[in-house]
Amino acid sequence: MKNSYTSISERRREIVRFVREHGEANVEILVKAFDTSPATIRRDLVNLNKMGMIHREFGKVKAVQTSPEDYNNDKNQKIEDIKNELAKIAANFIEEDSTIFINSSSAAGKVAKYLKNKRVNIVTNNIKVAFKEHHPQSTIVLTGGEVRLPKEALIGSYTVDFIDKIKSDIAVIGCYGLSIENGLTTPILAEAKINNLMVKNATKKVIAIADYRKLGNVANFKSAEATEVDYLITDSFADRKIIADLEKIGVTVIQINI
């Protein structure tokens, strides 16, 4: 028998699919389509809106694109809000005077703005990090390399050689996907090796930042094994089974309420 969490998750996925297929909907239409109460549908819509899956306006709802392919654009403000909250929590795990790797992920890059009151050393291939506000005694080191646009990530053999010569205390890694079987993955081959070196050259802890869309998702190129992640910072909408499986292999999972 399906548990209530699974049933709720499946219904919400079906609601999003229904709205995408029909362009828009409202509570009355969804009540009839899913044979459930208006109160249940309203709760579903409130949560789907927080997840950035739908947009509510004038009593109607429309679907919003939230696929992991969009993980570096800022058009979906709800997703950006979630990533900001995850970044804020991740920053709490970083001690003053630490040396930190931050990869090219937009979520990982957001951590830097929550470190402005801490004196740290940041080594990153994420150009946007350099333009954040930092503690006046912090050191920000860009790896150098080829600039990949529009993401503004530094990649290539020069970047790899640079990272290979450095040890950090902490690696903060955002990803396209995270699963038990495939670990941390990215669709960009050139970034996979850089991410891998950041993970391997972090001497104290690896912090993965992944919103609910990323858990269970898989891209072509592996950055690290799931067992190499010490902490996962995610949100309350993340799949509970995947979280339980990650905890079984020793990952400490921090979920924040959205």
Side-chain angles (χ1 to χ4, degrees):
M1 180 179 293
K2 295 179 180 179
N3 62 41
S4 59
Y5 172 78
T6 301
S7 299
I8 291 168
S9 297
E10 288 184 358
R11 185 179 64 247
R12 290 175 180 172
R13 282 194 292 269
E14 289 301 317
I15 287 172
V16 173
R17 187 175 295 114
F18 181 94
V19 175
R20 282 185 179 144
E21 290 175 354
H22 292 81
E24 63 180 31
N26 58 31
V27 171
E28 183 180 355
I29 290 170
L30 294 171
V31 165
K32 292 178 180 178
F34 291 91
D35 190 25
T36 190
S37 70
T40 296
I41 291 296
R42 289 191 183 97
R43 279 196 300 271
D44 288 340
L45 296 181
V46 166
N47 279 280
L48 289 170
N49 184 61
K50 289 180 180 179
M51 295 167 73
M53 298 288 285
I54 62 167
H55 175 67
R56 303 175 78 188
E57 190 175 63
F58 304 119
K60 295 182 180 180
V61 297
K62 295 183 179 181
V64 177
Q65 177 59 266
T66 61
S67 71
E69 286 83 352
D70 294 333
Y71 73 135
N72 287 309
N73 74 45
D74 58 1
K75 293 180 181 179
N76 189 325
Q77 189 56 51
K78 296 293 185 182
I79 296 297
E80 291 304 299
D81 291 344
I82 291 173
K83 290 194 287 187
N84 272 308
E85 292 301 315
L86 300 183
K88 189 185 301 184
I89 297 301
N92 291 336
F93 287 85
I94 297 171
E95 298 175 355
E96 191 155 81
D97 292 322
S98 295
T99 296
I100 312 148
F101 286 137
I102 294 180
N103 79 337
S104 60
S105 153
S106 61
K110 290 178 186 298
V111 173
K113 73 178 182 180
Y114 298 107
L115 295 173
K116 63 183 180 181
N117 295 320
K118 293 180 181 180
R119 184 179 60 249
V120 293
N121 304 304
I122 297 175
V123 180
T124 182
N125 66 327
N126 190 330
I127 293 175
K128 293 177 181 177
V129 168
F131 297 98
K132 308 284 187 186
E133 182 181 357
H134 298 283
H135 188 285
Q137 293 180 321
S138 286
T139 300
I140 314 303
V141 180
L142 292 175
T143 61
E146 175 188 347
V147 180
R148 178 175 176 265
L149 298 172
K151 190 177 180 183
E152 298 184 61
L154 295 165
I155 60 171
S157 59
Y158 189 94
T159 312
V160 169
D161 290 343
F162 190 92
I163 294 293
D164 196 30
K165 294 178 175 67
I166 296 175
K167 296 291 185 183
S168 75
D169 300 302
I170 300 166
V172 179
I173 306 293
C175 62
Y176 177 99
L178 171 58
S179 66
I180 293 289
E181 299 80 9
N182 297 282
L184 291 165
T185 57
T186 172
I188 311 301
L189 174 60
E191 294 184 13
K193 178 61 175 177
I194 295 166
N195 295 341
N196 180 263
L197 283 173
M198 287 183 173
V199 169
K200 292 189 180 305
N201 288 359
T203 59
K204 292 184 178 178
K205 55 194 171 194
V206 174
I207 301 172
I209 300 179
D211 64 66
Y212 71 92
R213 301 170 302 159
K214 312 298 179 64
L215 297 195
N217 204 57
V218 179
N220 291 348
F221 306 107
K222 179 179 285 189
S223 296
E225 299 288 350
T227 52
E228 294 180 276
V229 175
D230 297 301
Y231 292 90
L232 167 64
I233 314 296
T234 190
D235 54 76
S236 53
F237 303 120
D239 187 286
R240 293 181 183 179
K241 183 181 185 308
I242 295 174
I243 287 175
D245 289 343
L246 289 167
E247 289 176 330
K248 286 177 183 177
I249 64 170
V251 179
T252 299
V253 180
I254 310 297
Q255 274 188 285
I256 62 167
N257 289 320
I258 302 297

